[in-house]
Structures are given as C-alpha cells and as structure tokens.
Amino acid sequence: MIETITSPIGFSSLLVFFAVGAIGSLLLQKDDKLANIWNNFFAILGSLSGIIFSVLVIITGHNLAFNFGSSSFSLLSFSFNIDMLSAFFIFAISLIALFCSVFGIGYIKHFYKKYNIGVLGFFYNLLIGSMILVVTASNGIFFLIAWEIMSVSSYFLVVYDSDERKNIKAGFLYLVMTYIGTSFIVFSFLLIYKYTNSFDFSVIKSNMALIPSSVKNIIFIFGIIGFGTKTGIIPFHIWLPAAHPAAPSHVSALMSGVMIKTGIYMLLRMALDILQPIPVWWGMVIIIIGSVSALLGVLYALTEHDIKKLLAYHSIENIGIILLGLGSAMVFFSLNMVPLALLSLIASLFHTLNHAVFKSLLFLSAGSVINEVHTKNMEEYGGLIKYMPQTAMFFLIGSMAISALPPFNGFFSEWLTFQSLFQGIAQLQSYSQMVFMLAAGSLAFTGGLALACFVKAFGAIFLARPRSEEVTQAKESDTFMRIGMGALALLSILFGLLSGYITILLEKVGRGFSIFNNSSSSVFISSHQVFNINNGFSSVAPFAIFIGIILTILLVIWIIKYNVNKNQKITISKTWDCGTALSPRMEITATGFTRSIILIFRGILKPSIQHDVEYHDAESRYLPKSRAVTLGVENVYNYYFYQPINKIINGLSLRIKNIQTGNINIYISYIFIALIISLFLIL
Amino acid sequence: MSILFLQFILEIMFLILVFLHISKKSSEVVWAYMFQSLALGIILFNSYLDSGSILLLVVVLLVLAIKVILAPLFFNRLIKKNALAFSVSTYINTPLTLIIISSLTFIAYSHKFFPLTNIIPGNHMLLALSLAVMFLSLFLIINRKGALSQIIGVLSFENSLIAFVVFAGLEQSAWLQIGILFDIFVWIIISTVFTNMIYEQFGSLNVTVMNKLKD
C-alpha cells in the first residue's frame, strides 16, 4: 500500500485530482453552487493525497525519480525528482491548500451571481497543481513551464475581482514583476546550459565543476533576483502588497502562505544542492538580504491601514527570517561547520512551514472580516470581537504565532533561527561575526515590531467600539470558513507543542541533501521534549512553557478576580466623559498607535503629513468646516530604485523609437541587415 | 539534365531578378515573375526525373498552376482594376542599384559564405547563385516603393529559397511542399486583396504614402 502511494502512480493521481477539479469547475460554470463544491472538493482530495504522499515519502525516506512519456523536443523532459526537500514542500503546499479549500467553500458564496465561479475554480486548482509541479520538476525547461503556469494562474486569480480597477492595476504590476523575475531565471538556466549542456538538474549537479566560479557568481545573483522577486525580498517586493489584497482571501492565503515559498524552494535547491560548493560570501549576501527584508517588511507593515497589505508586508518580513536561516546554513557549510549548517537549515524549513500556517490563518481571518465589513481599511473596523468572536480568537492565535509568542509555532522557529545566529556570533570571526551580530539584532528588532504591529491590528479590528455602521451589521462567518480557520489555529498551537517531533522530521528532510548525509546533529530532543542546541548551548521546553503559561494565566485571572471582588462595592455608572457623549472618535486609531514608532524610524520611513482644511466661507478663513489630516509614508524603494530605472528605460525607449519610421522598406532593411550580420557571425 | 543546364536555368532566374530591379512597367514585373516561376518549375521537374516520385510531379504541376498561371492572373487583374500601368519608382537610382546588386552577388560568392554554399560541394556554384538570388529578392523588397513589386519580391525570395533547398539536398517530403504551395496560394490571394485595399484607401500603391499610419 505504502509502495503504491509513494510511487509515480500515487504522485500522478494527486495531480489528476487537481486537473479534474480545474476542468470540472469550468464545465460546471453555469451553476455557481455546483462549480464551487466541485472545485473545492477536488482541491481537498488532491491536497489530502498530497499530505499523505509527502508524509510517507519523508517517513520512509523513499526518493522518487521518474519521467512521464517522452518529449520529441530533446531539451524538454517531463522528469520528476521527489526527494526529501520536494516532499517537504509538497506537504506545506497541500496542507495550506487543504484548509484554504475548506474555507473557500463558504467564502466563495459571496461571489455567486457576480463572477464566474468556474473560472475561479479552474485557476485555483491549476495554481495548486502547478506549485506541486514546480517543487518536483527536475528539468530546467519543464520547471520553467510549471513556473509560468503558476504565475499565469495566480495572475488571473489576482485580477478575478475585476470590478475594482486597482485590482487590474495590481495584476499588471504582478505580471510585469513576474516576467522580470522569470527572465533572470531563464538567463541563469541558459548560463548553466552553456557550460553543462543540460537542463537536467541531476546532470547539472554532477557537471558543476565545468562552470567557472565567476559564471557561478552571476548565476547566483540572477537566481536571487529571479527567485527573490517571486519570494518578495526587498526591493523586488513591490508586487506583493499590491497583489495580495487584490486576490480573493483564500487565494491570498495560498499565495502568501506557499506560493512565494516556491522561490525559497529554488534558492535552497540551488544553494545547497545544485551549485555546491559555494563561497562564503553567498551566504553572507543572503543573510544581509534577509535582515533588510525582515526589518523593512515589518516597518512598512506598521504604517499600513489596509489589513491585507499589512499582512503582505509581514510576508516580506517572514521571508527575511527564513532567509536568515538559509544564509546561516550556507555560511556554516562553506566554513565546514556542517552540524551548525544543518541546524540553520532546520530553522529555515521550520519557519517556512510555520509561516505558511499562521499567515494563511491570518489571511483567512482577514478575508472573513472583510466579507462582513466590506472594507480593508482597519480604521473603519473596531469592536468586531463582539460580533465575530470566533474569528477574533483565530486572528488572535495567528497574531500571537506571527509575533513569535510562546507556545505558538512561530516562537520555536524564530528561536531556532536565533540559536543559529548566536552560534555564528560565538564561533565565527571578524566580519562574519559582525554580519551575524547585525542579523541577530535585526531579528530581535523585527520580533518586537511585529508584536507592536499585531497589537495595533488586533486592537483596531476587534477591540473598542465599532467605527462604522457596517461593523454593527457583522455576524460570525460561515461554518466552512470557521473550520478552515480553526484547523489552522489548532495547527499553530500543535506545531508549537510538537516542535520537537517536527524538528526531528525536518532534520531528516535536511539530511536529504547530499551535503548533510553524514553530518552529526546539533539539535537534541530529550524524552521530555526539551530542545537542546549544541550540547547545552541553549535549550527550550515547549510543553513546560505551555503549562507554565496556562498556570500563569490562571493565576493572574484568579489574583485579579480575588482583588477586584475582595470587599468591594460594585457601582455601575456612566463613564465620566468630560460632558460629551462617548464615541469611537475618542479611541486610539491604528495610525495613532503606530505614530510614535514611525517617528522613531522616520529616517527610513520618511513619514509625511498633509492637512486639508475646508472653510465655510472661501473668502474668510476664520470658520473651518472640516479638517483632514493625511499621514503618509514615502516609498523609498520606489523613489531611489524603481523611478531611476523607469527614467532610464523611458529615455532609452524614446531614442530607440526613432528607428520606427513607419516605412515598410526600412523595416525589411533591418531584417536584411540582421540576416547578413547573423550569417557573417555564424559562418 | 546536366548541371550546366541547371546552372543556365538558375542564371535565367538571376537575370530575371536583375530585370525586376530596373523594370518600370507593372505588367513586365508580372511577366518576369511568371518566367522566373517557370524556371523554378523546370528545376523541380529535374528533381522529379531524378527521383521518379509521382508526388513530386504533382508538386511541379501545382507550382505551374499556382505560380505560373494563377498568381500572374491575380496580379494582372489587380493592374487592370486599378490602372497600374507603371510600377512606382525605387528608392535608389539605377546605377547605384546595379552596384549594390553586384556587391550582394559578390558577398554570396565570397569565401565567408563558403560553409553555406558548399553543403554539396558539387553544387557549389548553383548554391552560391541561389543565395545571390535570395539576397537580390530581399533587396528588391527594400528598394521598391510599390506594393506590387514588393509582393513579387517576396514571391521571388520564396522561389530562390526553393532553388537553394533543392540544390542543397534539403528537400522535405512532397506533402510538406504541397502544404507550402497551398500556403503561398492563400498568401497571394490575401496580399492581392490587401493591395486593393491600400489602393482604395490611399489612391496609390506607393507604400511611402502609408507614412501617416505611423504612431
């Protein structure tokens, strides 16, 4: 049975589920309800198969390499290689897809009679299927085809809500950035092909010695730009805060939770598998990019009022944290500190999984709220805990997990990342030590700011009084939506409590890389589930923390209750309100909450304030009718990076435009001259 | 047929192309194309005699029907309908045109193109001449201002390409050639209709008048 599941048949059957889901929902597009059930049902089946398949592959350690059919085009081969790393990513994709699909059954209902549900289901299943193909392809061209299907299907999902003009704009930006990224990937693959004469990853790996180190460096840099664009590292992240809010929420969850991780997958594959051996500075570069992305990501998140944009910026932050683990692994391995490299890799993989879980949970909760309040602006929320208590609880769990609070999963992966950075500080020398020190500082800052950001988000959305009429009309979301969110919330706790077991499995995934085959372990788990790093360097006990927190909470509640109730006469009366009626205007807003933090970082964020005053009489300026204060943050990366590039490209385009004369003879002359030159060069 | 005879036929194709460059009458251009296609038909007939394939004979007959009969008929109708007795002028004057023709022929015969013209060593001269005809056809498209001459230039380029392929031994299956011929036939119809539309819109077949279409 296990052999059948972990065979090519088992793998292809899970892909068939997504294919049936995609085609079937298109065929059933005339019936919204049926199309919705069909597409999500098959997505759930495919995801479940994916989870079973990947878990069995990881447990049995059974690597799969096979081809589908034969291609007449010799460079293209439909070849798959499912090793531990691929299986891990199939697991992450399937897990998130499963709960997003369950959530989708309820969520999609609000699109009925408005948009084509069949089309949504088609691209949704296509996206999940293509992500699985991306992490299993073992041929460069086949990989690029899967990558393109993933990009195109996600583009159509981003522009799905086409009534909103800004969604179309966001989709266009996403498409442009995707193709810029893909062109760098194509170029790096072509460079590899030039020296190895193959697009097959295993052949490339064995012929790596044929690539000169200078060319390898170019491949690495192009890889960072190409895959980093999909991943959303700063400054290639600009599509992310635009596209995530545009897509339907369960798709945003999928995109932010796992799609952007396909870039991480390829960076891992390239750095730790295909391009080995690598120089130390590659890892350093990844650590620096990770630190900058983490810190800037969370800072920009702090300035956001749009709930989905805020979450999108947090994806950038968490990708930075994942890169800190990956970069450390690269540095340690290059310096022959293999056990520490394995530890860092585990931290990176664990955070990849954890981020997928809590970010999907947060996006789904946000979608649930937006569905009820019909706005993404947090300033118009407030007091939703009263109307949507379960959603509030799920969002709180997600917020605590992303803020790395124990005993939730985010804490343990960030703790592991910290440990690998601390090991670097303790064991490395000179500038390497400095880089690790700065990275640890950046991670500490990031953690604190993330906590502040989610205190703001939770407070503004769920606490205090409603700031709009819509909030008072809100009601708890659909059962399927709550099941989707609830399951992910449960996983956030379970992955924290079971982090010991998960670490053992992730170590197995890490050992799937040939470079870690014979490495000793830096992580030891005692029988009481206590993590021990590098023989007592540090340790943490998830269960003890959990019990301690529960006891502390109970104790605090008891003390408060005891003190409040002790011999006190309870008087219920109106709050003293300076003689005016209490209103939401008296509450601290999301903007007000973060203003002091923004001012501390004004050197980076460059905040701006704009006052608009309207007077009763245009001639006289004594009687103001209304005042508006607009707080903004300058787009530093736009101003210093994209605008200059745009200016250069526009200037060049205007010059090149001159060759367009409108005369057909001139155009044919160009072709003729190009032909003669080509022949001269080739012959 | 001897190689000398084939070379003679190819030289006729080449001379027809030189004539196309200096001719000023539209009807002469069409007749010249007809004779060039006839020459190509003879080259293909030689292939049939060598291989004895009936399918290749069908190709020859189709070439004759489409290129020698139908295409000139279409073009003549176009000339009559729009009263295009005289072909519009060239960008470059005749002496300079002849100098460029000589240069292109020299390039085709140059040592640099030897790998291309020596695919079959025995046919070196034929391949070099075919290449020259290709270059001159492209130059015809560039140099002529009239849409009709440009269409003839494209068709002449196609003729030279077939001649090159035949002498280089790169012929594909006869079915493929029939498919290509069908394609060309459709292209001739479309381009004739298109040319008609240009004339109706601009009152001339001079492509320079289409400058106003520029963005």
Side-chain angles (χ1 to χ4, degrees):
Chain A
M1 182 69 179
I2 291 174
E3 280 81 25
T4 315
I5 294 172
T6 56
S7 69
I9 298 165
F11 176 71
S12 43
S13 62
L14 80 91
L15 289 176
V16 167
F17 283 129
F18 295 117
V20 173
I23 297 162
S25 54
L26 259 193
L27 295 174
L28 296 168
Q29 59 181 304
K30 284 188 178 162
D31 188 333
D32 286 350
K33 199 176 169 186
L34 212 56
N36 179 19
I37 290 169
W38 182 279
N39 98 66
N40 284 309
F41 175 71
F42 279 96
I44 289 168
L45 275 187
S47 307
L48 276 173
S49 317
I51 292 169
I52 296 166
F53 172 83
S54 52
V55 167
L56 286 176
V57 168
I58 292 172
I59 290 171
T60 57
H62 176 59
N63 278 12
L64 241 82
F66 57 94
N67 292 316
F68 267 145
S70 60
S71 168
S72 53
F73 181 42
S74 62
L75 296 175
L76 173 64
S77 145
F78 296 99
S79 51
F80 296 85
N81 181 24
I82 304 169
D83 57 3
M84 292 285 123
L85 184 70
S86 300
F88 168 75
F89 275 89
I90 294 174
F91 174 74
I93 293 164
S94 307
L95 188 75
I96 303 308
L98 172 68
F99 298 117
C100 288
S101 307
V102 173
F103 179 89
I105 297 172
Y107 177 77
I108 289 171
K109 283 177 189 167
H110 82 280
F111 288 129
Y112 284 2
K113 303 259 184 300
K114 192 178 173 193
Y115 296 119
N116 191 326
I117 307 298
V119 169
L120 175 67
F122 174 75
F123 286 117
Y124 179 73
N125 278 277
L126 201 63
L127 174 63
I128 305 170
S130 60
M131 282 194 288
I132 289 177
L133 288 181
V134 162
V135 299
T136 51
S138 75
N139 174 283
I141 293 183
F142 177 44
F143 167 83
L144 282 171
I145 292 170
W147 186 263
E148 278 306 288
I149 296 172
M150 180 179 79
S151 302
V152 171
S153 53
S154 52
Y155 162 75
F156 281 109
L157 291 168
V158 166
V159 297
Y160 181 70
D161 190 354
S162 54
D163 283 355
E164 292 256 359
R165 201 176 156 74
K166 63 179 177 187
N167 292 353
I168 307 290
K169 217 173 155 188
F172 179 70
L173 177 67
Y174 172 49
L175 210 58
V176 169
M177 290 307 290
T178 291
Y179 280 109
I180 290 172
T182 307
S183 51
F184 277 96
I185 297 168
V186 170
F187 202 81
S188 62
F189 279 3
L190 287 177
L191 272 177
I192 291 173
Y193 182 79
K194 183 175 165 20
Y195 290 93
T196 59
N197 272 326
S198 178
F199 283 112
D200 192 282
F201 292 162
S202 55
V203 177
I204 292 168
K205 192 178 161 186
S206 53
N207 289 340
M208 201 30 67
L210 299 172
I211 302 180
S213 57
S214 56
V215 177
K216 251 172 92 170
N217 291 339
I218 297 170
I219 293 167
F220 168 68
I221 291 164
F222 281 9
I224 287 185
I225 299 172
F227 298 117
T229 305
K230 180 65 77 188
T231 303
I233 58 170
I234 285 177
F236 310 113
H237 67 289
I238 53 161
W239 65 270
L240 223 133
H244 283 349
S249 289
H250 69 307
V251 176
S252 303
L254 202 59
M255 284 174 75
S256 187
V258 280
M259 193 194 79
I260 60 171
K261 308 283 171 38
T262 53
I264 293 286
Y265 163 79
M266 268 317 274
L267 283 175
L268 279 163
R269 176 74 72 203
M270 298 279 270
L272 299 176
D273 192 19
I274 297 173
L275 296 178
Q276 283 289 330
I278 56 164
V280 179
W281 71 266
W282 284 22
M284 294 294 180
V285 167
I286 293 281
I287 291 177
I288 291 165
I289 292 173
S291 306
V292 173
S293 294
L295 197 57
L296 287 184
V298 75
L299 278 177
Y300 283 113
L302 267 166
T303 65
E304 271 305 328
H305 311 146
D306 182 317
I307 181 172
K308 283 178 99 178
K309 270 192 183 175
L310 178 144
L311 295 176
Y313 274 117
H314 273 288
S315 294
I316 298 166
E317 172 223 333
N318 281 280
I319 287 294
I321 297 171
I322 293 166
L323 288 182
L324 288 180
L326 170 62
S328 309
M330 289 162 73
V331 171
F332 286 134
F333 187 78
S334 301
L335 295 171
N336 211 21
M337 299 156 90
V338 186
L340 287 181
L342 185 56
L343 168 73
S344 305
L345 176 64
I346 293 168
S348 183
L349 292 176
F350 197 14
H351 201 69
T352 303
L353 182 64
N354 288 340
H355 176 249
V357 172
F358 58 64
K359 185 45 67 66
S360 314
L361 167 60
L362 287 166
F363 263 112
L364 296 185
S365 318
S368 186
V369 168
I370 295 164
N371 223 5
E372 293 299 318
V373 190
H374 306 115
T375 174
K376 292 171 196 157
N377 186 358
M378 288 191 296
E379 307 288 22
E380 292 176 38
Y381 294 160
L384 268 170
I385 196 166
K386 191 177 163 190
Y387 306 94
M388 305 176 80
Q390 290 180 39
T391 304
M393 186 180 69
F394 300 142
F395 190 89
L396 181 66
I397 291 173
S399 301
M400 287 166 84
I402 199 171
S403 306
L405 292 180
F408 299 98
N409 56 354
F411 168 79
F412 295 97
S413 49
E414 279 201 32
W415 181 82
L416 274 175
T417 310
F418 265 120
Q419 297 317 310
S420 57
L421 292 174
F422 290 158
Q423 289 286 341
I425 295 167
Q427 300 199 24
L428 297 177
Q429 281 172 350
S430 67
Y431 82 99
S432 310
Q433 195 179 29
M434 286 298 293
V435 171
F436 273 72
M437 220 180 269
L438 288 172
S442 155
L443 185 56
F445 250 132
T446 305
L449 293 172
L451 183 61
C453 190
F454 276 93
V455 169
K456 165 191 111 169
F458 187 78
I461 300 168
F462 294 103
L463 303 182
R465 287 175 170 237
R467 289 192 209 93
S468 67
E469 187 60 33
E470 296 269 16
V471 173
T472 56
Q473 309 294 322
K475 55 185 184 305
E476 191 51 272
S477 42
D478 182 275
T479 314
F480 283 109
M481 292 163 78
R482 277 180 285 152
I483 291 172
M485 290 185 285
L488 286 167
L490 190 66
L491 281 184
S492 295
I493 302 168
L494 281 179
F495 280 9
L497 291 177
L498 303 176
S499 47
Y501 293 111
I502 294 170
T503 311
I504 293 166
L505 284 175
L506 291 178
E507 192 173 65
K508 199 171 178 187
V509 172
R511 285 186 197 284
F513 287 103
S514 53
I515 56 171
F516 295 123
N517 268 343
N518 303 314
S519 155
S520 59
S521 183
S522 267
V523 191
F524 302 96
I525 318 289
S526 76
S527 54
H528 301 293
Q529 290 297 304
V530 178
F531 273 109
N532 231 314
I533 304 294
N534 220 11
N535 291 329
F537 180 83
S538 59
S539 59
V540 67
F543 278 105
I545 289 177
F546 181 68
I547 293 164
I549 287 173
I550 296 288
L551 288 176
T552 311
I553 291 170
L554 291 174
L555 191 70
V556 168
I557 292 171
W558 181 78
I559 290 171
I560 292 170
K561 275 196 165 182
Y562 177 78
N563 282 325
V564 168
N565 295 336
K566 191 178 71 177
N567 300 328
Q568 278 200 5
K569 188 183 166 193
I570 298 167
T571 314
I572 296 173
S573 65
K574 277 188 84 175
T575 314
W576 186 75
D577 53 3
C578 303
T580 56
L582 280 174
S583 79
R585 280 174 65 87
M586 293 169 183
E587 296 164 17
I588 187 160
T589 59
T591 310
F593 185 85
T594 50
R595 190 167 177 264
S596 50
I597 300 174
I598 292 171
L599 286 177
I600 293 169
F601 291 96
R602 62 175 174 268
I604 301 169
L605 296 171
K606 299 193 184 303
S608 61
I609 300 175
Q610 196 187 336
H611 298 271
D612 287 318
V613 186
E614 196 188 337
Y615 296 94
H616 281 286
D617 182 356
E619 297 298 315
S620 160
R621 303 219 148 197
Y622 290 108
L623 295 168
K625 189 177 175 185
S626 67
R627 285 174 192 271
V629 178
T630 315
L631 293 171
V633 173
E634 205 171 276
N635 251 341
V636 181
Y637 37 83
N638 252 1
Y639 190 74
Y640 293 107
F641 187 72
Y642 286 102
Q643 279 180 20
I645 291 176
N646 190 34
K647 215 171 173 180
I648 293 167
I649 291 172
N650 273 344
L652 281 173
S653 307
L654 282 173
R655 280 189 172 77
I656 291 168
K657 196 184 159 192
N658 291 333
I659 67 168
Q660 186 199 357
T661 58
N663 190 326
I664 194 164
N665 301 68
I666 300 286
Y667 298 151
I668 297 165
S669 307
Y670 295 150
I671 297 169
F672 192 32
I673 291 164
L675 176 77
I676 296 282
I677 292 171
S678 310
L679 284 172
F680 262 94
L681 289 174
I682 295 164
L683 297 171
Chain B
M1 287 180 212
S2 74
I3 197 157
L4 277 175
F5 180 74
L6 287 173
Q7 192 169 338
F8 172 70
I9 298 289
L10 203 55
E11 278 163 3
I12 287 175
M13 283 178 76
F14 177 80
L15 288 173
I16 287 171
L17 200 51
V18 176
F19 173 75
L20 281 170
H21 270 282
I22 51 176
S23 164
K24 299 291 175 197
K25 284 185 77 174
S26 293
S27 55
E28 284 174 2
V29 169
V30 176
W31 279 103
Y33 170 69
M34 196 183 88
F35 283 117
Q36 197 194 45
S37 299
L38 191 62
L40 180 75
I42 294 167
I43 291 169
L44 286 171
F45 187 68
N46 175 59
S47 289
Y48 157 68
L49 290 178
D50 284 349
S51 66
S53 160
I54 295 296
L55 212 53
L56 208 55
L57 185 63
V58 175
V59 173
V60 174
L61 292 174
L62 278 173
V63 165
L64 294 176
I66 292 171
K67 294 187 170 184
V68 181
I69 300 166
L70 288 172
L73 271 175
F74 273 113
F75 295 138
N76 276 327
R77 267 185 60 190
L78 186 78
I79 292 166
K80 274 184 193 160
K81 191 180 169 191
N82 299 318
L84 300 168
F86 290 95
S87 166
V88 280
S89 57
T90 54
Y91 283 98
I92 302 167
N93 60 35
T94 308
L96 200 57
T97 300
L98 290 172
I99 291 169
I100 293 173
I101 286 173
S102 313
S103 309
L104 289 173
T105 311
F106 174 76
I107 289 171
Y109 274 90
S110 73
H111 188 72
K112 189 74 192 168
F113 284 86
F114 193 71
L116 205 63
T117 54
N118 207 40
I119 296 172
I120 293 181
N123 288 352
H124 170 67
M125 295 303 283
L126 297 170
L127 286 168
L129 196 56
S130 307
L131 194 64
V133 178
M134 264 196 250
F135 286 168
L136 294 196
S137 303
L138 276 173
F139 179 51
L140 180 73
I141 307 168
I142 294 166
N143 196 21
R144 284 282 180 171
K145 288 180 180 174
L148 182 69
S149 304
Q150 286 183 342
I151 293 171
I152 299 285
V154 174
L155 290 171
S156 166
F157 178 77
E158 193 261 337
N159 279 351
S160 57
L161 199 68
I162 293 176
F164 185 89
V165 165
V166 169
F167 294 129
L170 302 171
E171 286 171 282
Q172 295 293 319
S173 75
W175 283 112
L176 184 68
Q177 294 189 37
I178 291 169
I180 293 169
L181 272 171
F182 176 74
D183 207 26
I184 288 165
F185 179 58
V186 174
W187 186 81
I188 289 168
I189 295 169
I190 292 169
S191 60
T192 314
V193 172
F194 187 63
T195 313
N196 241 329
M197 287 167 73
I198 293 174
Y199 191 82
E200 281 169 16
Q201 189 68 35
F202 298 99
S204 164
L205 278 191
N206 185 344
V207 289
T208 52
V209 298
M210 291 194 283
N211 258 347
K212 65 180 80 165
L213 290 175
K214 196 173 88 167
D215 182 22

